[in-house]
PDB file of all heavy atoms in Angstrom:
ATOM      1  N   GLY R  11      -2.730  -1.938  -3.744  1.00  0.00           N
ATOM      2  CA  GLY R  11      -2.287  -1.540  -2.407  1.00  0.00           C
ATOM      3  C   GLY R  11      -0.906  -0.902  -2.479  1.00  0.00           C
ATOM      4  O   GLY R  11       0.111  -1.559  -2.241  1.00  0.00           O
ATOM      5  N   VAL R  12      -0.881   0.392  -2.848  1.00  0.00           N
ATOM      6  CA  VAL R  12       0.411   1.061  -3.076  1.00  0.00           C
ATOM      7  C   VAL R  12       0.828   1.804  -1.792  1.00  0.00           C
ATOM      8  O   VAL R  12       0.914   3.028  -1.758  1.00  0.00           O
ATOM      9  CB  VAL R  12       0.333   1.996  -4.307  1.00  0.00           C
ATOM     10  CG1 VAL R  12       1.726   2.532  -4.661  1.00  0.00           C
ATOM     11  CG2 VAL R  12      -0.248   1.244  -5.507  1.00  0.00           C
ATOM     12  N   GLY R  13       1.058   1.010  -0.724  1.00  0.00           N
ATOM     13  CA  GLY R  13       1.480   1.578   0.557  1.00  0.00           C
ATOM     14  C   GLY R  13       2.916   1.185   0.845  1.00  0.00           C
ATOM     15  O   GLY R  13       3.731   1.017  -0.077  1.00  0.00           O
ATOM     16  N   GLY R  14       3.210   1.015   2.135  1.00  0.00           N
ATOM     17  CA  GLY R  14       4.586   0.771   2.576  1.00  0.00           C
ATOM     18  C   GLY R  14       5.307  -0.343   1.835  1.00  0.00           C
ATOM     19  O   GLY R  14       6.340  -0.107   1.200  1.00  0.00           O
ATOM     20  N   ILE R  15       4.755  -1.552   1.868  1.00  0.00           N
ATOM     21  CA  ILE R  15       5.516  -2.693   1.333  1.00  0.00           C
ATOM     22  C   ILE R  15       5.568  -2.702  -0.199  1.00  0.00           C
ATOM     23  O   ILE R  15       6.461  -3.319  -0.791  1.00  0.00           O
ATOM     24  CB  ILE R  15       4.971  -4.042   1.872  1.00  0.00           C
ATOM     25  CG1 ILE R  15       6.003  -5.156   1.657  1.00  0.00           C
ATOM     26  CG2 ILE R  15       3.658  -4.418   1.226  1.00  0.00           C
ATOM     27  CD1 ILE R  15       7.333  -4.922   2.348  1.00  0.00           C
ATOM     28  N   ASP R  36      -4.979   1.810  -6.022  1.00  0.00           N
ATOM     29  CA  ASP R  36      -5.027   2.223  -4.609  1.00  0.00           C
ATOM     30  C   ASP R  36      -6.186   3.208  -4.471  1.00  0.00           C
ATOM     31  O   ASP R  36      -6.398   4.039  -5.365  1.00  0.00           O
ATOM     32  CB  ASP R  36      -3.713   2.883  -4.174  1.00  0.00           C
ATOM     33  CG  ASP R  36      -3.577   2.896  -2.648  1.00  0.00           C
ATOM     34  OD1 ASP R  36      -4.347   3.615  -1.973  1.00  0.00           O
ATOM     35  OD2 ASP R  36      -2.712   2.164  -2.130  1.00  0.00           O
ATOM     36  N   ILE R  37      -6.911   3.116  -3.362  1.00  0.00           N
ATOM     37  CA  ILE R  37      -8.020   4.048  -3.165  1.00  0.00           C
ATOM     38  C   ILE R  37      -7.530   5.479  -2.975  1.00  0.00           C
ATOM     39  O   ILE R  37      -8.303   6.416  -3.090  1.00  0.00           O
ATOM     40  CB  ILE R  37      -8.917   3.632  -1.967  1.00  0.00           C
ATOM     41  CG1 ILE R  37      -8.049   3.330  -0.746  1.00  0.00           C
ATOM     42  CG2 ILE R  37      -9.802   2.451  -2.317  1.00  0.00           C
ATOM     43  CD1 ILE R  37      -8.842   3.075   0.508  1.00  0.00           C
ATOM     44  N   ARG R  38      -6.238   5.650  -2.669  1.00  0.00           N
ATOM     45  CA  ARG R  38      -5.665   7.005  -2.544  1.00  0.00           C
ATOM     46  C   ARG R  38      -4.843   7.291  -3.802  1.00  0.00           C
ATOM     47  O   ARG R  38      -3.718   6.791  -3.941  1.00  0.00           O
ATOM     48  CB  ARG R  38      -4.753   7.096  -1.319  1.00  0.00           C
ATOM     49  CG  ARG R  38      -5.491   6.873   0.004  1.00  0.00           C
ATOM     50  CD  ARG R  38      -4.550   7.032   1.181  1.00  0.00           C
ATOM     51  NE  ARG R  38      -3.551   5.965   1.235  1.00  0.00           N
ATOM     52  CZ  ARG R  38      -2.516   5.946   2.073  1.00  0.00           C
ATOM     53  NH1 ARG R  38      -2.329   6.954   2.911  1.00  0.00           N
ATOM     54  NH2 ARG R  38      -1.670   4.940   2.078  1.00  0.00           N
ATOM     55  N   GLN R  41      -1.037   8.067  -3.883  1.00  0.00           N
ATOM     56  CA  GLN R  41      -0.046   7.007  -3.642  1.00  0.00           C
ATOM     57  C   GLN R  41       0.612   6.537  -4.938  1.00  0.00           C
ATOM     58  O   GLN R  41       1.711   5.996  -4.937  1.00  0.00           O
ATOM     59  CB  GLN R  41      -0.724   5.799  -2.978  1.00  0.00           C
ATOM     60  CG  GLN R  41      -1.131   6.012  -1.546  1.00  0.00           C
ATOM     61  CD  GLN R  41       0.063   6.202  -0.646  1.00  0.00           C
ATOM     62  OE1 GLN R  41       0.310   7.312  -0.172  1.00  0.00           O
ATOM     63  NE2 GLN R  41       0.843   5.157  -0.408  1.00  0.00           N
ATOM     64  N   CYS R  69      -0.769  -6.146  -2.171  1.00  0.00           N
ATOM     65  CA  CYS R  69      -0.038  -5.502  -1.063  1.00  0.00           C
ATOM     66  C   CYS R  69      -1.015  -4.706  -0.205  1.00  0.00           C
ATOM     67  O   CYS R  69      -0.679  -3.638   0.322  1.00  0.00           O
ATOM     68  CB  CYS R  69       1.059  -4.592  -1.604  1.00  0.00           C
ATOM     69  SG  CYS R  69       2.379  -5.467  -2.449  1.00  0.00           S
ATOM     70  N   LEU R  70      -2.223  -5.198  -0.087  1.00  0.00           N
ATOM     71  CA  LEU R  70      -3.289  -4.525   0.670  1.00  0.00           C
ATOM     72  C   LEU R  70      -3.180  -4.810   2.159  1.00  0.00           C
ATOM     73  O   LEU R  70      -2.477  -5.748   2.566  1.00  0.00           O
ATOM     74  CB  LEU R  70      -4.651  -5.060   0.195  1.00  0.00           C
ATOM     75  CG  LEU R  70      -5.111  -4.664  -1.195  1.00  0.00           C
ATOM     76  CD1 LEU R  70      -6.256  -5.584  -1.637  1.00  0.00           C
ATOM     77  CD2 LEU R  70      -5.543  -3.199  -1.211  1.00  0.00           C
ATOM     78  N   PRO R  71      -3.914  -4.054   2.986  1.00  0.00           N
ATOM     79  CA  PRO R  71      -4.011  -4.434   4.397  1.00  0.00           C
ATOM     80  C   PRO R  71      -4.510  -5.876   4.527  1.00  0.00           C
ATOM     81  O   PRO R  71      -5.323  -6.356   3.715  1.00  0.00           O
ATOM     82  CB  PRO R  71      -5.040  -3.440   4.944  1.00  0.00           C
ATOM     83  CG  PRO R  71      -4.926  -2.241   4.051  1.00  0.00           C
ATOM     84  CD  PRO R  71      -4.631  -2.795   2.694  1.00  0.00           C
ATOM     85  N   THR R  72      -4.041  -6.527   5.578  1.00  0.00           N
ATOM     86  CA  THR R  72      -4.252  -7.965   5.780  1.00  0.00           C
ATOM     87  C   THR R  72      -5.708  -8.426   5.622  1.00  0.00           C
ATOM     88  O   THR R  72      -5.987  -9.425   4.970  1.00  0.00           O
ATOM     89  CB  THR R  72      -3.734  -8.318   7.190  1.00  0.00           C
ATOM     90  OG1 THR R  72      -2.328  -8.042   7.186  1.00  0.00           O
ATOM     91  CG2 THR R  72      -4.009  -9.742   7.576  1.00  0.00           C
ATOM     92  N   LEU R  74      -8.039  -7.612   3.853  1.00  0.00           N
ATOM     93  CA  LEU R  74      -8.589  -7.624   2.492  1.00  0.00           C
ATOM     94  C   LEU R  74      -7.972  -8.721   1.614  1.00  0.00           C
ATOM     95  O   LEU R  74      -8.447  -8.967   0.504  1.00  0.00           O
ATOM     96  CB  LEU R  74      -8.354  -6.257   1.821  1.00  0.00           C
ATOM     97  CG  LEU R  74      -9.019  -5.049   2.505  1.00  0.00           C
ATOM     98  CD1 LEU R  74      -8.544  -3.742   1.874  1.00  0.00           C
ATOM     99  CD2 LEU R  74     -10.541  -5.158   2.414  1.00  0.00           C
ATOM    100  N   HIS R  75      -6.909  -9.368   2.089  1.00  0.00           N
ATOM    101  CA  HIS R  75      -6.139 -10.282   1.228  1.00  0.00           C
ATOM    102  C   HIS R  75      -6.991 -11.383   0.592  1.00  0.00           C
ATOM    103  O   HIS R  75      -6.978 -11.571  -0.630  1.00  0.00           O
ATOM    104  CB  HIS R  75      -4.998 -10.942   2.022  1.00  0.00           C
ATOM    105  CG  HIS R  75      -3.888  -9.990   2.376  1.00  0.00           C
ATOM    106  ND1 HIS R  75      -2.805 -10.369   3.131  1.00  0.00           N
ATOM    107  CD2 HIS R  75      -3.694  -8.676   2.081  1.00  0.00           C
ATOM    108  CE1 HIS R  75      -1.984  -9.319   3.282  1.00  0.00           C
ATOM    109  NE2 HIS R  75      -2.515  -8.290   2.670  1.00  0.00           N
ATOM    110  N   PHE R  78      -9.835 -10.288  -1.995  1.00  0.00           N
ATOM    111  CA  PHE R  78      -9.278  -9.765  -3.250  1.00  0.00           C
ATOM    112  C   PHE R  78      -8.608 -10.891  -4.043  1.00  0.00           C
ATOM    113  O   PHE R  78      -8.708 -10.948  -5.277  1.00  0.00           O
ATOM    114  CB  PHE R  78      -8.276  -8.629  -2.981  1.00  0.00           C
ATOM    115  CG  PHE R  78      -8.922  -7.276  -2.819  1.00  0.00           C
ATOM    116  CD1 PHE R  78      -9.762  -7.001  -1.750  1.00  0.00           C
ATOM    117  CD2 PHE R  78      -8.701  -6.262  -3.741  1.00  0.00           C
ATOM    118  CE1 PHE R  78     -10.368  -5.750  -1.596  1.00  0.00           C
ATOM    119  CE2 PHE R  78      -9.294  -5.009  -3.602  1.00  0.00           C
ATOM    120  CZ  PHE R  78     -10.134  -4.748  -2.524  1.00  0.00           C
ATOM    121  N   GLU R  92       0.810 -10.596  -0.230  1.00  0.00           N
ATOM    122  CA  GLU R  92       1.624 -10.335   0.955  1.00  0.00           C
ATOM    123  C   GLU R  92       1.116 -11.169   2.139  1.00  0.00           C
ATOM    124  O   GLU R  92      -0.027 -11.604   2.179  1.00  0.00           O
ATOM    125  CB  GLU R  92       1.592  -8.825   1.299  1.00  0.00           C
ATOM    126  CG  GLU R  92       2.863  -8.099   0.913  1.00  0.00           C
ATOM    127  CD  GLU R  92       4.152  -8.703   1.496  1.00  0.00           C
ATOM    128  OE1 GLU R  92       4.093  -9.417   2.497  1.00  0.00           O
ATOM    129  OE2 GLU R  92       5.224  -8.463   0.921  1.00  0.00           O
ATOM    130  N   LYS R  93       1.978 -11.355   3.120  1.00  0.00           N
ATOM    131  CA  LYS R  93       1.605 -12.067   4.329  1.00  0.00           C
ATOM    132  C   LYS R  93       0.762 -11.171   5.210  1.00  0.00           C
ATOM    133  O   LYS R  93       0.879  -9.947   5.088  1.00  0.00           O
ATOM    134  CB  LYS R  93       2.822 -12.594   5.098  1.00  0.00           C
ATOM    135  CG  LYS R  93       3.976 -11.626   5.362  1.00  0.00           C
ATOM    136  CD  LYS R  93       3.794 -10.288   6.011  1.00  0.00           C
ATOM    137  CE  LYS R  93       3.483 -10.213   7.448  1.00  0.00           C
ATOM    138  NZ  LYS R  93       3.496  -8.780   7.967  1.00  0.00           N
ATOM    139  N   SER R 158       0.372   3.427   9.228  1.00  0.00           N
ATOM    140  CA  SER R 158      -0.421   2.640   8.267  1.00  0.00           C
ATOM    141  C   SER R 158      -1.699   3.386   7.872  1.00  0.00           C
ATOM    142  O   SER R 158      -2.241   4.172   8.654  1.00  0.00           O
ATOM    143  CB  SER R 158      -0.764   1.269   8.848  1.00  0.00           C
ATOM    144  OG  SER R 158      -1.567   1.410   9.992  1.00  0.00           O
ATOM    145  N   TRP R 159      -2.178   3.108   6.662  1.00  0.00           N
ATOM    146  CA  TRP R 159      -3.393   3.755   6.156  1.00  0.00           C
ATOM    147  C   TRP R 159      -4.568   3.500   7.111  1.00  0.00           C
ATOM    148  O   TRP R 159      -4.800   2.374   7.510  1.00  0.00           O
ATOM    149  CB  TRP R 159      -3.711   3.191   4.749  1.00  0.00           C
ATOM    150  CG  TRP R 159      -5.110   3.500   4.333  1.00  0.00           C
ATOM    151  CD1 TRP R 159      -5.586   4.675   3.857  1.00  0.00           C
ATOM    152  CD2 TRP R 159      -6.235   2.597   4.404  1.00  0.00           C
ATOM    153  NE1 TRP R 159      -6.941   4.581   3.637  1.00  0.00           N
ATOM    154  CE2 TRP R 159      -7.357   3.315   3.957  1.00  0.00           C
ATOM    155  CE3 TRP R 159      -6.392   1.261   4.808  1.00  0.00           C
ATOM    156  CZ2 TRP R 159      -8.624   2.739   3.891  1.00  0.00           C
ATOM    157  CZ3 TRP R 159      -7.654   0.687   4.748  1.00  0.00           C
ATOM    158  CH2 TRP R 159      -8.743   1.434   4.288  1.00  0.00           C
ATOM    159  N   TRP R 162      -5.031   0.924  10.209  1.00  0.00           N
ATOM    160  CA  TRP R 162      -5.510  -0.467  10.177  1.00  0.00           C
ATOM    161  C   TRP R 162      -4.594  -1.422  10.952  1.00  0.00           C
ATOM    162  O   TRP R 162      -5.065  -2.387  11.549  1.00  0.00           O
ATOM    163  CB  TRP R 162      -5.705  -0.951   8.727  1.00  0.00           C
ATOM    164  CG  TRP R 162      -4.420  -1.229   7.989  1.00  0.00           C
ATOM    165  CD1 TRP R 162      -3.718  -0.358   7.219  1.00  0.00           C
ATOM    166  CD2 TRP R 162      -3.682  -2.454   7.961  1.00  0.00           C
ATOM    167  NE1 TRP R 162      -2.586  -0.950   6.725  1.00  0.00           N
ATOM    168  CE2 TRP R 162      -2.545  -2.238   7.155  1.00  0.00           C
ATOM    169  CE3 TRP R 162      -3.870  -3.724   8.535  1.00  0.00           C
ATOM    170  CZ2 TRP R 162      -1.595  -3.230   6.923  1.00  0.00           C
ATOM    171  CZ3 TRP R 162      -2.918  -4.721   8.294  1.00  0.00           C
ATOM    172  CH2 TRP R 162      -1.806  -4.469   7.494  1.00  0.00           C
ATOM    173  N   MET R 163      -3.288  -1.116  10.972  1.00  0.00           N
ATOM    174  CA  MET R 163      -2.351  -2.045  11.629  1.00  0.00           C
ATOM    175  C   MET R 163      -2.548  -2.086  13.135  1.00  0.00           C
ATOM    176  O   MET R 163      -2.224  -3.068  13.794  1.00  0.00           O
ATOM    177  CB  MET R 163      -0.915  -1.630  11.332  1.00  0.00           C
ATOM    178  CG  MET R 163      -0.332  -2.373  10.166  1.00  0.00           C
ATOM    179  SD  MET R 163       1.437  -2.117  10.128  1.00  0.00           S
ATOM    180  CE  MET R 163       1.707  -2.255   8.384  1.00  0.00           C
ATOM    181  N   ASP R 175       1.203  -9.640  12.439  1.00  0.00           N
ATOM    182  CA  ASP R 175       1.899  -8.706  11.557  1.00  0.00           C
ATOM    183  C   ASP R 175       3.413  -8.884  11.588  1.00  0.00           C
ATOM    184  O   ASP R 175       4.071  -8.781  10.559  1.00  0.00           O
ATOM    185  CB  ASP R 175       1.547  -7.255  11.910  1.00  0.00           C
ATOM    186  CG  ASP R 175       1.884  -6.349  10.740  1.00  0.00           C
ATOM    187  OD1 ASP R 175       1.134  -6.373   9.745  1.00  0.00           O
ATOM    188  OD2 ASP R 175       2.936  -5.681  10.785  1.00  0.00           O
ATOM    189  N   HIS R 179       6.516 -13.656  10.755  1.00  0.00           N
ATOM    190  CA  HIS R 179       7.696 -13.928   9.921  1.00  0.00           C
ATOM    191  C   HIS R 179       8.528 -15.052  10.539  1.00  0.00           C
ATOM    192  O   HIS R 179       8.899 -16.003   9.860  1.00  0.00           O
ATOM    193  CB  HIS R 179       8.560 -12.668   9.818  1.00  0.00           C
ATOM    194  CG  HIS R 179       8.006 -11.623   8.902  1.00  0.00           C
ATOM    195  ND1 HIS R 179       7.946 -11.791   7.536  1.00  0.00           N
ATOM    196  CD2 HIS R 179       7.503 -10.396   9.154  1.00  0.00           C
ATOM    197  CE1 HIS R 179       7.440 -10.698   6.984  1.00  0.00           C
ATOM    198  NE2 HIS R 179       7.155  -9.840   7.940  1.00  0.00           N
ATOM    199  N   TYR R 282      12.864  -9.793  -1.365  1.00  0.00           N
ATOM    200  CA  TYR R 282      11.570  -9.479  -1.997  1.00  0.00           C
ATOM    201  C   TYR R 282      11.652  -9.758  -3.498  1.00  0.00           C
ATOM    202  O   TYR R 282      10.728 -10.309  -4.095  1.00  0.00           O
ATOM    203  CB  TYR R 282      11.174  -8.026  -1.718  1.00  0.00           C
ATOM    204  CG  TYR R 282      10.950  -7.777  -0.249  1.00  0.00           C
ATOM    205  CD1 TYR R 282      11.950  -7.224   0.537  1.00  0.00           C
ATOM    206  CD2 TYR R 282       9.756  -8.144   0.364  1.00  0.00           C
ATOM    207  CE1 TYR R 282      11.760  -7.020   1.900  1.00  0.00           C
ATOM    208  CE2 TYR R 282       9.561  -7.948   1.722  1.00  0.00           C
ATOM    209  CZ  TYR R 282      10.565  -7.384   2.486  1.00  0.00           C
ATOM    210  OH  TYR R 282      10.380  -7.200   3.829  1.00  0.00           O
TER     211      TYR R 282
HETATM  212  N1  NAD D   5       6.795  -8.948   3.953  1.00  0.00           N
HETATM  213  C1  NAD D   5       7.083  -7.895   4.677  1.00  0.00           C
HETATM  214  O1  NAD D   5       8.211  -7.690   5.100  1.00  0.00           O
HETATM  215  C2  NAD D   5       6.001  -6.893   4.972  1.00  0.00           C
HETATM  216  C3  NAD D   5       6.332  -5.639   5.488  1.00  0.00           C
HETATM  217  C4  NAD D   5       5.308  -4.713   5.686  1.00  0.00           C
HETATM  218  C5  NAD D   5       3.988  -5.061   5.407  1.00  0.00           C
HETATM  219  N2  NAD D   5       3.696  -6.314   4.931  1.00  0.00           N
HETATM  220  C6  NAD D   5       2.298  -6.691   4.637  1.00  0.00           C
HETATM  221  O2  NAD D   5       1.880  -5.959   3.497  1.00  0.00           O
HETATM  222  C7  NAD D   5       0.509  -5.594   3.622  1.00  0.00           C
HETATM  223  C8  NAD D   5       0.376  -4.087   3.452  1.00  0.00           C
HETATM  224  O3  NAD D   5       1.101  -3.430   4.478  1.00  0.00           O
HETATM  225  P1  NAD D   5       1.630  -1.918   4.302  1.00  0.00           P
HETATM  226  O4  NAD D   5       2.581  -1.683   5.405  1.00  0.00           O
HETATM  227  O5  NAD D   5       2.077  -1.705   2.912  1.00  0.00           O
HETATM  228  O6  NAD D   5       0.259  -1.117   4.592  1.00  0.00           O
HETATM  229  P2  NAD D   5      -0.079   0.399   4.188  1.00  0.00           P
HETATM  230  O7  NAD D   5      -1.170   0.841   5.095  1.00  0.00           O
HETATM  231  O8  NAD D   5       1.170   1.212   4.120  1.00  0.00           O
HETATM  232  O9  NAD D   5      -0.600   0.265   2.675  1.00  0.00           O
HETATM  233  C9  NAD D   5      -1.832  -0.306   2.330  1.00  0.00           C
HETATM  234  C10 NAD D   5      -2.351   0.417   1.085  1.00  0.00           C
HETATM  235  O10 NAD D   5      -3.578  -0.181   0.667  1.00  0.00           O
HETATM  236  C11 NAD D   5      -4.459   0.862   0.220  1.00  0.00           C
HETATM  237  N3  NAD D   5      -5.840   0.374   0.256  1.00  0.00           N
HETATM  238  C12 NAD D   5      -6.621   0.165   1.343  1.00  0.00           C
HETATM  239  N4  NAD D   5      -7.810  -0.335   0.975  1.00  0.00           N
HETATM  240  C13 NAD D   5      -7.786  -0.464  -0.373  1.00  0.00           C
HETATM  241  C14 NAD D   5      -8.723  -0.949  -1.336  1.00  0.00           C
HETATM  242  N5  NAD D   5      -9.926  -1.407  -0.984  1.00  0.00           N
HETATM  243  N6  NAD D   5      -8.360  -0.928  -2.645  1.00  0.00           N
HETATM  244  C15 NAD D   5      -7.148  -0.465  -3.028  1.00  0.00           C
HETATM  245  N7  NAD D   5      -6.227   0.014  -2.152  1.00  0.00           N
HETATM  246  C16 NAD D   5      -6.536  -0.003  -0.841  1.00  0.00           C
HETATM  247  C17 NAD D   5      -4.170   2.027   1.146  1.00  0.00           C
HETATM  248  O11 NAD D   5      -4.545   3.265   0.584  1.00  0.00           O
HETATM  249  C18 NAD D   5      -2.655   1.902   1.330  1.00  0.00           C
HETATM  250  O12 NAD D   5      -1.945   2.714   0.403  1.00  0.00           O
HETATM  251  C19 NAD D   5       0.053  -6.089   5.001  1.00  0.00           C
HETATM  252  O13 NAD D   5      -0.670  -7.272   4.875  1.00  0.00           O
HETATM  253  C20 NAD D   5       1.352  -6.337   5.770  1.00  0.00           C
HETATM  254  O14 NAD D   5       1.251  -7.397   6.689  1.00  0.00           O
HETATM  255  C21 NAD D   5       4.680  -7.202   4.695  1.00  0.00           C
END
Side-chain angles (χ1 to χ4, degrees):
V12 188
I15 197 60
D36 199 292
I37 49 173
R38 297 182 292 172
Q41 289 294 108
C69 294
L70 290 164
T72 297
L74 299 172
H75 289 177
F78 275 66
E92 256 305 338
K93 49 53 72 173
S158 63
W159 164 78
W162 74 268
M163 265 193 210
D175 199 75
H179 285 291
Y282 296 98

